[in-house]
């Protein structure tokens, strides 16, 4: 084939990238990209998109001489960085003072003009940077620093108004909720809906998304190590990230956070694992489905709520106030959970959140869900806001696990058994709490499987991650510790895993491993793995956590504001009182 017959490949240009990202223009005029976007997150999307897809971030480093060994290293000078940060800080004031005139708009436009001047240049330059590519990198980096700084504290509790609060669920709580928002037609229990999974206004979320972030990794050369306040995420569809902005006055992160971890159920029968109806005599008969029947749940839907309230009262004799309640994977169903929310809302005013694994959600769907409820004061009433999302991956039981958990009487150990759940659209909830922290939740396999959510979770950097398990003892040699350590290293999450006592009891009964009652595991960014044992007869562990300020640095050498790094301090077992035992009767510990 002659060279003239070869197809001509078009190299994506800066203009192509910007038009794709801003299909209706940077200021809602289709095709017009000559002016910079007026919302900081949109400007960030433009700058960060060019840096990432132009493969420019690997060339960025703190200021220093160029090295022949490492190739071109690019950075803003200290004076330029401080100047850009000042522009970003002035932009914050513009929104807080409701000033329609943006100070330093000309300086921002000057950097944007550099991109427009070189819009015909390839998005991804060669290894040897041209003068135009260096100018593009310089301008994009300056715009990223400006917009990143302009979004300081966006998404967290703040007494100061900002543009982001206008687009959050927290604001709507101060108005009348709709019937569609209410759960079971209860005015006090509201769906915690996310309007969108990006904080951009004009940048197309089918191309890129932007969310606030909390931790900047201390290791690696990636886009997430380059930014302080904002995260660039892939397009919508793979995993939707829902950020929930709280209402009310902030509590300080350094204050104690007392979490009641309840490893329920305390007993699981092999017969709770029910084989499916698939014909395993067919040629592909090497696997089948299984479901869980949750025989541990009492018929009285209020029993678990009454049990938990008694545990809270016992715990508060030690700590004063319980702030969070956490259950493992599959612990509850929807009906039991709503009763728990109602009782805690009215009778445990200090509780800030509940996290629980459930076999159902508020829509009546059946499967494997994590339910997260936060409590907020709105219009002189304590309201419960609940968010649900489904597990991302099915559990597969193999011969080794069936033997370890003693399930051969229910499930044939010679074939694979897959959890019979639908794989719903992937979602991850990010709940802002205290002054500058967010927590998120993962369900069992979601921790072990990097796709599709780990990259997005690492980009946002939740301070605290609750991992709900149906697993054996939580010790340093097991898989959960290995994957928790990965999140603790990058981006610096503190991770708490929690499993049920029932499955641990089955492992211990088999006698194939040394006896161990570690129902929970803690790992943070500086300390080694801590396994947390539940003594015989205890019903819960009361953990005391707090956040310490840690200063972080971005890839280009900016020192970030103090981030909240959560630390485990201690735990004590909580034993059920007589009322608690009576509430659960046959399923009590």
């Amino acid at each position: 084939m002659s060279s003239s017959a070869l197809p001509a490949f078009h190299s994506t240009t800066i203009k192509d990238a910007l038009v794709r990202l801003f299909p209706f223009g940077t200021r809602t005029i289709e095709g017009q990209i000559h002016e910079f976007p007026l919302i900081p997150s949109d400007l960030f999307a433009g700058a960060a998109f060019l840096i990432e897809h132009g493969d420019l971030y690997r060339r960025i480093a703190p200021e220093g001489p160029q090295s022949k060994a490492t190739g071109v290293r690019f950075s803003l000078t200290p004076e330029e960085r401080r100047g850009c940060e000042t522009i970003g800080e002035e932009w914050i004031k513009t929104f807080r003072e409701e000033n329609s005139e943006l100070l330093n708009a000309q300086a921002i436009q000057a950097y944007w003009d550099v991109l427009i001047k070189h819009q015909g240049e390839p998005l991804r330059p060669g290894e040897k940077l041209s003068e135009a590519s260096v100018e593009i990198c310089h301008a994009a980096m300056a715009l990223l620093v400006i917009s990143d700084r302009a979004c300081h504290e966006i998404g967290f509790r703040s007494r100061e108004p900002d543009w982001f609060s206008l687009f959050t669920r927290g604001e709507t709580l101060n108005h009348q909720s709709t019937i569609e928002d209410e759960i079971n037609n209860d005015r006090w229990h509201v769906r915690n809906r996310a309007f969108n999974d990006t904080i951009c206004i004009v940048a197309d979320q089918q191309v890129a998304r932007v969310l606030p972030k909390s931790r900047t990794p201390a290791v690696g050369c990636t886009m997430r190590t380059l930014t302080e306040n904002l995260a660039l995420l892939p397009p919508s569809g793979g995993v939707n990230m829902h950020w929930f902005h709280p209402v009310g006055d902030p509590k300080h992160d350094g204050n104690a956070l007392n979490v009641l971890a309840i490893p329920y159920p305390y007993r699981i029968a092999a017969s709770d694992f029910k084989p499916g109806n698939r014909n395993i005599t067919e040629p592909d008969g090497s696997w089948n489905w299984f479901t869980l029947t949750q025989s541990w749940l009492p018929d009285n839907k209020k029993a678990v709520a009454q049990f938990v309230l008694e545990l809270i009262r016992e715990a508060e004799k030690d700590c004063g106030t319980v702030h969070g309640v956490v259950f493992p994977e599959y612990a509850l169903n929807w009906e039991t959970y709503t009763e728990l929310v109602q009782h805690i809302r009215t009778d445990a005013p200090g509780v800030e959140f509940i996290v629980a694994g459930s076999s159902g959600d508020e829509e009546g769907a059946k499967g494997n869900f994590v339910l997260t409820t936060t409590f907020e004061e709105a219009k002189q009433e304590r309201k419960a806001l609940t968010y649900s999302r489904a597990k991302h991956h099915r559990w597969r039981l193999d011969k080794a696990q069936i033997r370890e958990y003693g399930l051969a009487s229910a499930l044939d150990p010679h074939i694979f058994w897959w959890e019979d759940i639908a794989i719903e659209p992937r979602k991850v909830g990010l709940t802002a709490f205290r002054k500058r922290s967010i927590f998120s939740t993962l369900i069992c396999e979601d921790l072990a499987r990097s796709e599709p959510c780990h990259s997005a979770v690492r980009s946002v950097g939740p301070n605290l991650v609750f991992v709900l398990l149906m697993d054996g003892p939580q010790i340093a040699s097991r898989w959960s510790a290995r994957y928790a350590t990965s999140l603790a290293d990058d981006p610096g999450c503190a991770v708490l895993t929690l499993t049920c006592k029932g499955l641990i009891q089955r492992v211990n009964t088999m006698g194939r491993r040394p006896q161990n009652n570690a129902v929970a595991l803690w790992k943070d960014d500086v300390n080694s793995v801590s396994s947390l044992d539940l003594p015989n007869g205890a019903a819960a562990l009361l953990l005391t956590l707090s956040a310490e300020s840690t200063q972080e640095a971005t890839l280009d050498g900016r020192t970030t504001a103090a981030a909240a790094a959560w630390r485990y301090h201690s735990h004590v077992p909580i034993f059920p009182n007589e009322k608690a035992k009576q509430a659960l009767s046959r399923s009590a510990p």
Side-chain angles (χ1 to χ4, degrees), residues 525-559:
D525 56 333
V526 297
N527 297 300
S528 57
V529 170
S530 296
S531 290
L532 312 180
D533 284 0
L534 185 79
N536 289 332
L541 294 179
L542 174 64
L543 283 69
T544 296
L545 317 173
S546 71
E548 64 181 34
S549 292
T550 181
Q551 208 167 54
E552 300 171 329
T554 58
L555 184 62
D556 62 317
R558 286 173 289 142
T559 302

Side-chain angles (χ1 to χ4, degrees), residues 348-536:
V351 172
E352 299 172 27
F353 62 84
I354 309 170
V355 174
S358 172
S359 59
D361 69 357
E362 75 279 10
E363 302 292 344
K366 300 300 180 183
N368 192 337
F369 299 88
V370 56
L371 308 174
T372 301
T373 297
T374 54
F375 298 93
E376 306 285 358
E377 296 294 333
K379 299 182 73 174
Q380 290 77 51
E381 183 180 29
R382 192 173 192 229
K383 287 196 174 185
L385 292 80
T386 294
Y387 171 78
S388 67
R389 68 107 170 152
K391 189 178 180 182
H392 296 162
H393 299 276
R394 296 182 180 97
W395 184 11
R396 190 191 74 169
L397 282 165
D398 57 21
K399 183 177 182 179
Q401 292 180 83
I402 291 171
R403 281 173 51 83
E404 183 170 8
Y405 300 139
L407 303 177
S409 62
L411 303 178
D412 182 352
H414 299 100
I415 66 173
F416 293 122
W417 294 90
W418 286 94
E419 183 179 14
D420 191 2
I421 58 172
I423 302 300
E424 305 287 347
R426 272 65 178 264
K427 301 187 294 183
V428 173
L430 302 157
T431 302
F433 75 109
R434 298 296 171 97
K435 189 173 183 180
R436 181 112 172 97
S437 292
I438 57 172
F439 74 76
S440 189
T441 58
L442 298 175
I443 312 173
C444 207
E445 279 77 12
D446 299 351
L447 174 66
R449 309 287 169 248
S450 60
E451 299 296 336
C453 74
H454 277 220
S455 177
V457 169
R458 292 181 196 278
S459 295
V460 174
N463 308 76
L464 186 55
V465 177
F466 297 109
V467 183
L468 314 186
L469 305 175
M470 181 168 276
D471 192 29
Q474 296 303 286
I475 54 179
S477 59
R478 285 183 61 83
W479 67 273
S480 53
R482 183 167 68 253
Y483 291 107
T485 298
S486 177
L487 283 178
D489 288 341
D490 177 5
C493 305
V495 181
L496 176 68
T497 71
L498 178 65
T499 188
C500 61
K501 179 65 180 294
L503 216 52
I504 288 180
Q505 191 177 59
R506 297 195 67 85
V507 172
N508 288 338
T509 301
M510 293 302 103
R512 295 189 175 99
R513 295 177 180 268
Q515 298 284 300
N516 195 297
N517 291 310
V519 297
L521 176 149
W522 175 271
K523 181 68 179 82
D524 60 43
D525 56 333
V526 297
N527 297 300
S528 57
V529 170
S530 296
S531 290
L532 312 180
D533 284 0
L534 185 79
N536 289 332

Side-chain angles (χ1 to χ4, degrees), residues 224-274:
R224 57 181 177 268
T225 60
L226 185 59
T227 64
E228 174 189 2
N229 299 300
L230 296 178
L232 181 70
L233 300 177
S236 295
V239 56
N240 296 318
M241 307 291 286
H242 295 155
W243 184 287
F244 298 106
H245 186 295
V247 231
D249 294 333
K251 290 184 180 179
H252 197 274
D253 295 283
N255 294 348
L257 179 72
N258 299 315
V259 176
L260 191 64
I262 305 176
Y264 186 75
Y266 305 108
R267 296 179 185 84
I268 296 178
S271 57
D272 284 320
F273 289 78
K274 297 291 186 184

Side-chain angles (χ1 to χ4, degrees), residues 72-84:
V72 175
R73 269 194 347 209
F74 176 82
S75 64
L76 299 176
T77 66
E79 293 75 20
E80 285 176 312
R81 281 206 308 266
R82 283 194 291 270
C84 290

